[in-house]
Amino acid sequence: MHGQPRKPLKPEDAATIEKAANLRILQSQLLHNHHNKIYTQEALDLSTKLVETNPEVYTAWNYRKLAVEHNITSGIDQDAVRTILDEELRVVESALRRNVKCYGAWHHRKWVLNKGLSPLQHEFRLLDKLQKLDSRNFHAWNYRRFVAALHNVSETEELKHITDMIDTNFSNYSAWHNRSAILSHLLKQTAHGFESKEKVLAEEYELVHQAIFTDPDDQSGWFYYYWLLDQTITPDAPLLLSSWPSHGSDLLVSTDRKFEGCMSSPSTSFCSDKGAFPLIIFFNQSVKGVNSSTVDIKFMFIKNEDVSWNPLSTKNSGYTNAWVTYLKFPDGKNNSSEIYQVEVSIGHSPGIISSSGSNYSCPSRFTFTTRLGIGKRDGEGELGVEKVVWTDNSFHTNLALAEELSSMLSSDRIRIIKDQDPTASTWQIESIINEIALFRELLLEGNCKIGKLTLARLLVAHDAMMSYHASFPYKKVNTEEILELLSELMKLDPPHSRYYKDEYSLALLEKVFLSRKSLMKHCLYYGESTSSYSHGCVCLRLNNLSLSRIGSFQNLLWVRMLDLSHNELQTTEGLEALQLLSCLNLSYNKFLSFTALESLRLLQSLSVLDISYNEIGLHSIDTTRYLCASPLSHKVEADCNIDGIEVSDCWEAVVVFKGLQLKQLDVDGNAVNGDKLRSLLVKVLPNLEWLDGEAVNQSFSC
């Protein structure tokens, strides 16, 4: 550093410098031989010296591969080839003594064995020595799987070896991991002795209990326990959770915005200029393959083969929980007295597959009726939109909501699949109940953080399994205990409080939908504005709950007006499933950038959005920037200049808002807000009438 006096070299420093100089000479000679394709014995000896000194020189291993290939194709006999390959194994073994975790050395050894001329018994002896030195060396474990496959060692034999390793030292993450990998394959193949998943997992629970209860602070066994838990609670096949319109509902579709004010029902009405309405289905897992072949729709005005289903996700994987299509009344239909039935059948033909590879094997069917309201089309004679105000005095309760909310709380899923056999076996639910009892007993003996977290997860899993598979409407009874456990964890383990906060938020949202009484606290009528557009609209107010994550989307498909203000949200992921959403308040949260709002691009009905008083533009580094498709990725077409406004430094706003039909937008209180952004938003949003509480006019846009 500048200003620091030089200190004389110590003898050990001089030795290190000399060693580094010699290493550079060896590397230089190796590169010379490599570039000139010199594969003499002298050149090989030089590379041997280099990799034994520093095994991390990956180029040296590549050079040796080329040299071996050159030498064994020079017309020599089989014994000479074996001699060359044995020398390579010796060099690798010498390098591993220097650094047992060298990637290049392990890969080179695999390459040699793949030639098929080297004995494999020595490899097992070598692995035994190496794993005694470090039983958790994942390189050695990976190599063992490779050698076992080459030697046709059965997975049951390897399982016995792993059991011995765990019995010797249960604090062996690699052994537990390999056990999960082998068991997964054996169970999937229903190998001999592993036909009964119930029996196998019961024995595994017994084994892992010995580890986690002997030393609850050791993490190795816990990872395996969570793998077992996942094997127990994950449904064997995806399930349909809910839909909109829901089963048995009577949907009124209006073609006049003014008619919407007469719609007192929050879940059985929809306003559309063109007489089209969405049909949404929501699964418990991400699935693909939802199309006209796997979903059959009977509606007299459409042909099923003409129906196009779209995934509601910002990701390009093709898998998502929510899917949507639009059904449309023909032009000229305006008689609201005619009622039409819609029948939707799902999964009667194969093709719907979850991201875990499971097939949808529970064919489902739901029906609803629909009729078309009288009104003007295509916006003819439509009135302007008055400003939506999110203050408390703009909302009021209405007892008439009670009956409608009761209908919404009845489980759409149960009504959809009530004639289907539950896919969960009794042993799965009993296993979870036994584990809950066990961990409650554990927590009586001590204040174990991971024990509390595990109990919370078990309780969540129990409620989920019962609600999925019970043949009767199941009320989630563990929510309060889950909230209490997570609240304690936030205090006990501050470094991980964000994770606990997210889980707490999900549990809190589940609590909202537990009963009519709890939901009524959050469902209010918006009545401040005299605008026919918003008059009588039911708003779900989830504000001031300190939510850091959103969930329970299967319960929110009916929501048109949603207040999530004064929370701690950082992303809108999941809101794309709410295709009816027209008014959304996200003010006073913790959004760091416009890219955190990317899911809103899929909300075709969204017309009012409040993102004021967040942290957009406050932080110089946008951690979500590259999760959002940019103009540079060729996925989104965006001009670098819009009507003379340079957008290269705020393309995120263009990407998120372009294409939305917003009529009211609030961005005030964010660091990024300014005249340039406001002018840009007016250009990007041609339907905008209100911006930051002010009416948009031609003079403002200029």
Side-chain angles (χ1 to χ4, degrees):
M1 296 293 291
H2 295 291
Q4 297 294 325
R6 289 187 177 183
K7 297 180 180 179
L9 292 176
K10 297 179 181 179
E12 55 268 26
D13 294 334
T16 301
I17 292 174
E18 183 180 358
K19 182 179 178 180
N22 292 333
L23 191 60
R24 282 194 293 271
I25 293 172
L26 287 174
Q27 289 176 330
S28 178
Q29 291 173 332
L30 173 84
L31 292 175
H32 171 77
N33 294 335
H34 188 21
H35 292 158
N36 292 283
K37 299 181 180 179
I38 300 173
Y39 303 128
T40 63
Q41 186 60 46
E42 182 182 358
L44 273 173
D45 291 342
L46 185 143
S47 69
T48 299
K49 187 175 181 180
L50 177 59
V51 296
E52 288 179 344
T53 304
N54 181 13
E56 298 294 344
V57 183
Y58 208 93
T59 303
W61 295 111
N62 288 336
Y63 168 77
R64 293 190 71 87
K65 289 182 179 67
L66 294 173
V68 169
E69 290 288 1
H70 176 269
N71 292 333
I72 65 177
T73 56
S74 301
I76 60 176
D77 59 28
Q78 200 81 331
D79 290 338
V81 172
R82 286 195 179 94
T83 301
I84 292 173
L85 295 179
D86 288 345
E87 173 62 14
E88 291 304 302
L89 293 177
R90 186 201 66 77
V91 171
V92 172
E93 192 169 337
S94 177
L96 289 175
R97 289 195 186 98
R98 185 80 175 179
N99 181 4
V100 75
K101 295 184 179 181
C102 175
Y103 284 89
W106 285 110
H107 289 165
H108 192 71
R109 197 169 188 89
K110 285 183 179 180
W111 178 81
V112 173
L113 287 189
N114 273 324
K115 296 294 182 182
L117 297 175
S118 303
L120 297 176
Q121 289 302 327
H122 174 71
E123 301 306 305
F124 287 107
R125 290 193 294 270
L126 174 64
L127 283 167
D128 288 340
K129 292 179 182 178
L130 293 175
Q131 289 186 314
K132 284 180 181 178
L133 293 173
D134 182 4
S135 61
R136 293 181 288 186
N137 183 351
F138 73 90
H139 295 277
W141 280 101
N142 288 338
Y143 186 69
R144 185 179 186 91
R145 286 199 297 271
F146 168 77
V147 174
L150 278 182
H151 199 50
N152 293 321
V153 177
S154 69
E155 290 182 313
T156 52
E157 288 184 51
E158 280 299 288
L159 203 59
K160 292 177 183 177
H161 169 75
I162 292 172
T163 303
D164 292 339
M165 296 290 288
I166 291 173
D167 288 342
T168 302
N169 178 15
F170 64 76
S171 182
N172 190 335
Y173 175 82
S174 295
W176 289 112
H177 170 73
N178 277 269
R179 190 175 189 87
S180 67
I182 291 176
L183 270 180
S184 294
H185 188 255
L186 290 171
L187 289 171
K188 187 176 182 179
Q189 300 296 323
T190 59
H192 178 66
F194 296 86
E195 298 89 352
S196 172
K197 188 175 182 180
E198 173 186 359
K199 180 176 179 293
V200 171
L201 294 188
E203 293 173 352
E204 294 303 305
Y205 274 117
E206 286 292 329
L207 176 64
V208 77
H209 284 163
Q210 297 176 32
I212 61 179
F213 290 129
T214 300
D215 185 2
D217 292 327
D218 186 87
Q219 299 292 309
S220 303
W222 287 105
F223 282 106
Y224 187 71
Y225 180 85
Y226 286 135
W227 175 81
L228 281 179
L229 185 60
D230 185 63
Q231 296 297 305
T232 305
I233 67 176
T234 301
D236 294 330
L239 299 171
L240 181 66
L241 291 188
S242 62
S243 69
W244 192 92
S246 60
H247 178 67
S249 61
D250 179 18
L251 175 66
L252 174 61
V253 179
S254 169
T255 59
D256 190 349
R257 291 288 179 186
K258 293 186 292 182
F259 193 63
E260 188 174 17
C262 303
M263 298 179 182
S264 59
S265 168
S267 64
T268 57
S269 58
F270 186 75
C271 185
S272 168
D273 294 336
K274 300 183 181 298
F277 61 93
L279 173 60
I280 311 165
I281 53 178
F282 195 97
F283 297 87
N284 68 324
Q285 300 178 36
S286 294
V287 299
K288 71 174 183 179
V290 176
N291 51 50
S292 58
S293 298
T294 55
V295 180
D296 182 64
I297 300 175
K298 293 180 180 178
F299 181 40
M300 67 177 298
F301 299 119
I302 60 107
K303 294 181 180 179
N304 184 63
E305 55 267 26
D306 295 333
V307 173
S308 176
W309 286 91
N310 297 309
L312 293 174
S313 174
T314 57
K315 302 173 183 176
N316 296 320
S317 64
Y319 292 92
T320 184
N321 294 73
W323 290 76
V324 66
T325 189
Y326 279 80
L327 306 183
K328 186 179 183 301
F329 284 94
D331 293 335
K333 274 285 177 185
N334 58 6
N335 190 348
S336 61
S337 63
E338 293 186 42
I339 298 177
Y340 306 94
Q341 179 168 296
V342 181
E343 180 178 316
V344 183
S345 300
I346 302 173
H348 291 81
S349 298
I352 298 178
I353 304 172
S354 72
S355 54
S356 61
S358 302
N359 291 298
Y360 185 83
S361 57
C362 189
S364 311
R365 179 176 60 86
F366 64 93
T367 60
F368 60 91
T369 57
T370 183
R371 52 199 171 97
L372 188 65
I374 301 173
K376 300 179 179 63
R377 290 181 180 268
D378 299 327
E380 181 183 349
E382 187 173 318
L383 298 178
V385 178
E386 291 192 20
K387 182 172 59 175
V388 173
V389 182
W390 295 97
T391 55
D392 290 341
N393 56 11
S394 299
F395 299 92
H396 62 273
T397 58
N398 190 313
L399 296 178
L401 267 178
E403 185 175 348
E404 175 66 19
L405 293 178
S406 296
S407 173
M408 287 189 295
L409 282 171
S410 62
S411 174
D412 290 335
R413 181 198 58 77
I414 291 173
R415 299 171 72 185
I416 291 170
I417 65 171
K418 60 183 178 181
D419 296 327
Q420 302 293 330
D421 294 329
T423 59
S425 302
T426 304
W427 73 265
Q428 292 173 292
I429 296 175
E430 289 180 350
S431 295
I432 297 301
I433 292 173
N434 292 336
E435 293 301 305
I436 289 173
L438 194 64
F439 276 89
R440 280 178 173 155
E441 184 179 344
L442 172 67
L443 291 177
L444 291 176
E445 300 176 3
N447 203 18
C448 175
K449 288 186 293 187
I450 197 165
K452 288 180 181 290
L453 176 60
T454 303
L455 179 57
R457 289 179 174 177
L458 286 166
L459 293 171
V460 170
H462 177 262
D463 276 350
M465 292 178 71
M466 290 298 294
S467 63
Y468 289 164
H469 306 294
S471 57
F472 54 88
Y474 174 77
K475 181 179 179 180
K476 297 182 177 181
V477 297
N478 297 313
T479 304
E480 288 295 344
E481 186 176 358
I482 294 167
L483 290 171
E484 183 180 351
L485 287 167
L486 292 170
S487 180
E488 291 174 3
L489 283 167
M490 282 188 274
K491 298 174 184 176
L492 287 172
D493 190 12
H496 299 102
S497 60
R498 176 70 191 189
Y499 170 79
Y500 303 133
K501 184 72 174 177
D502 286 351
E503 297 301 307
Y504 186 93
S505 299
L506 296 180
L508 192 60
L509 286 173
E510 290 287 347
K511 182 180 178 180
V512 169
F513 293 95
L514 275 181
S515 66
R516 184 184 73 182
K517 183 178 179 181
S518 60
L519 184 57
M520 278 292 293
K521 294 178 181 178
H522 300 277
C523 283
L524 302 171
Y525 265 107
Y526 177 79
E528 174 69 13
S529 174
T530 58
S531 167
S532 59
Y533 171 67
S534 57
H535 178 68
C537 184
V538 177
C539 179
L540 180 62
R541 301 201 75 194
L542 301 175
N543 56 320
N544 288 299
L545 296 179
S546 298
L547 298 175
S548 61
R549 186 178 172 187
I550 322 170
S552 297
F553 297 109
Q554 71 274 16
N555 297 318
L556 300 173
L557 301 183
W558 56 273
V559 175
R560 288 178 173 78
M561 192 173 193
L562 179 61
D563 186 356
L564 289 168
S565 62
H566 296 275
N567 283 300
E568 300 173 17
L569 300 174
Q570 294 185 3
T571 177
T572 59
E573 185 178 2
L575 287 180
E576 61 271 14
L578 280 56
Q579 288 294 291
L580 277 65
L581 193 61
S582 60
C583 301
L584 177 61
N585 186 1
L586 295 172
S587 62
Y588 294 95
N589 274 279
K590 295 185 179 297
F591 294 104
L592 304 179
S593 66
F594 287 117
T595 54
L597 309 172
E598 187 186 11
S599 62
L600 303 185
R601 296 167 56 193
L602 300 179
L603 299 179
Q604 296 186 17
S605 298
L606 190 64
S607 60
V608 176
L609 176 63
D610 188 346
I611 54 172
S612 60
Y613 297 97
N614 276 277
E615 300 177 13
I616 300 174
L618 185 62
H619 303 274
S620 58
I621 299 178
D622 175 8
T623 57
T624 63
R625 181 183 182 97
Y626 300 105
L627 300 179
C628 180
S630 76
L632 303 179
S633 68
H634 304 290
K635 295 178 182 177
V636 179
E637 294 183 3
D639 297 326
C640 292
N641 188 292
I642 297 180
D643 290 345
I645 303 175
E646 178 67 31
V647 301
S648 59
D649 58 344
C650 51
W651 61 262
E652 298 96 330
V654 177
V655 168
V656 171
F657 292 115
K658 188 177 182 180
L660 289 178
Q661 304 301 314
L662 290 180
K663 298 182 179 180
Q664 177 178 326
L665 175 63
D666 291 276
V667 295
D668 197 23
N670 288 288
V672 74
N673 196 23
D675 291 341
K676 179 180 178 180
L677 176 65
R678 290 158 63 87
S679 299
L680 178 64
L681 291 173
V682 172
K683 299 292 185 183
V684 171
L685 298 167
N687 296 326
L688 197 64
E689 297 186 20
W690 297 92
L691 179 59
D692 288 335
E694 299 179 5
V696 175
N697 50 46
Q698 191 63 33
S699 61
F700 176 83
S701 63
C702 295

